[in-house]
Each structure stands twice: as C-alpha cells, then as structure tokens.
Amino acid sequence: MDYLEDYRNMVPDATKQMLTVLIQKKAEKEKWKSLLNQWGFSFMFILVLFWVYASFTIADLTGQEGAGRLLSDPVVWICGLFCMLSGFQLMRLRKKHGKADDEYESARRDFIDRNEEWWSEREQWDNRHLVLEFMKNEYNINVINK
C-alpha cells in the first residue's frame, strides 16, 4: 500500500518507508486497543448480568441456603467461567497493546529525532510540513517536532 501517493515528489523513498511503518504500527496499536475495549466491556456486562441474576435469585434466601443454591446454579458457573476467560484475555491483550504501543512510540520518537536525515533535498525539507500535517490529520500520527 502506498499511503503517501499524493506526496510522491515531496517525500524520499526512505521517508515513505518509515512513514508507512509508522502507519502500520499505529494501526496495530489501535487494533489491540479495540480488542482490549471489547473484552473489557463484555467483562463488565457479564458482571452486571451476574449481579442482577444473583440478586433476583437469592433475594429471599439468606445464609448457607442462599449460598448453596447460588453455587449449584449452572448460570452462576457459566458466568464465573466467562469472567475467568475474559479476565485472562484482558491480561493477555493488555500486554500485547503495551508492546504495540511501545513499538509505535519508539518508531515515532526515532522519526522525530532523525528528522533532518529524512528529507534529502532542500525542496523536500521546505515542504515537509505538508506531509507531517497530512500524517496528523489523516492517521492521527504526530511527528511534528514540538
């Protein structure tokens, strides 16, 4: 994919490749963030569902009778199993999102630190702000050195 087709004369090939890497790393980071949010919402939904079910099921029961009835209910076991599954999934996705975020930030900082190396000709250097604004507006990637 050529993300920067409109700017082919303003951007050297090495810079295009680095910006493409940034776009791909940002997309990967957003993918993991989206999955993390989906699993988080499903975890919260099942907890609320469990709480509502448990409060109506054992509302009139107290003590050991209520606890015994609650523990023998298959819906409670299914909710517990799903809560455990989604908890493990949340931990796994949090690690993957953190790794993707670190890789993206590292590549972004590297691009900013080596900004003068990416633009070889004077005309490209003078027009780099157009490309950097495009990256900010189109992909929400801030590579402007501020």
Side-chain angles (χ1 to χ4, degrees):
M1 280 186 216
D2 194 8
Y3 297 101
L4 302 165
E5 186 63 35
D6 297 339
Y7 298 98
R8 68 178 152 265
N9 295 333
M10 289 187 227
V11 182
D13 289 336
T15 308
K16 277 185 195 176
Q17 290 175 352
M18 185 60 181
L19 290 174
T20 301
V21 167
L22 278 172
I23 292 168
Q24 291 169 347
K25 289 192 181 294
K26 175 78 173 197
E28 182 180 356
K29 174 187 160 187
E30 293 300 320
K31 177 187 82 168
W32 292 119
K33 183 179 179 180
S34 174
L35 281 171
L36 186 63
N37 288 338
Q38 288 173 0
W39 276 95
F41 286 132
S42 65
F43 181 72
M44 294 303 290
F45 176 75
I46 203 71
L47 282 178
V48 168
L49 188 68
F50 170 73
W51 179 76
V52 169
Y53 179 78
S55 65
F56 283 117
T57 302
I58 61 165
D60 57 336
L61 302 175
T62 58
Q64 290 182 344
E65 182 183 339
R69 184 171 172 195
L70 190 64
L71 289 176
S72 66
D73 195 344
V75 173
V76 172
W77 284 100
I78 291 170
C79 288
L81 181 65
F82 185 78
C83 283
M84 285 178 35
L85 170 73
S86 59
F88 287 125
Q89 188 72 352
L90 283 171
M91 289 189 311
R92 187 179 73 86
L93 289 172
R94 190 174 298 127
K95 286 180 186 177
K96 288 190 180 250
H97 176 260
K99 181 182 176 190
D101 186 39
D102 291 344
E103 289 176 358
Y104 164 71
E105 283 299 321
S106 175
R108 190 180 75 82
R109 277 189 244 116
D110 183 47
F111 184 84
I112 291 172
D113 290 344
R114 297 174 48 197
N115 198 12
E116 288 128 14
E117 297 175 28
W118 297 115
W119 313 97
S120 56
E121 297 175 13
R122 180 74 175 151
E123 180 183 335
Q124 293 170 344
W125 176 261
D126 292 339
N127 292 325
R128 77 187 188 288
H129 69 282
L130 298 171
V131 176
L132 300 180
E133 287 175 12
F134 169 77
M135 293 294 290
K136 177 67 176 163
N137 295 334
E138 193 70 25
Y139 298 105
N140 197 23
I141 297 175
N142 185 10
V143 286
I144 299 173
N145 191 10
K146 287 188 177 179

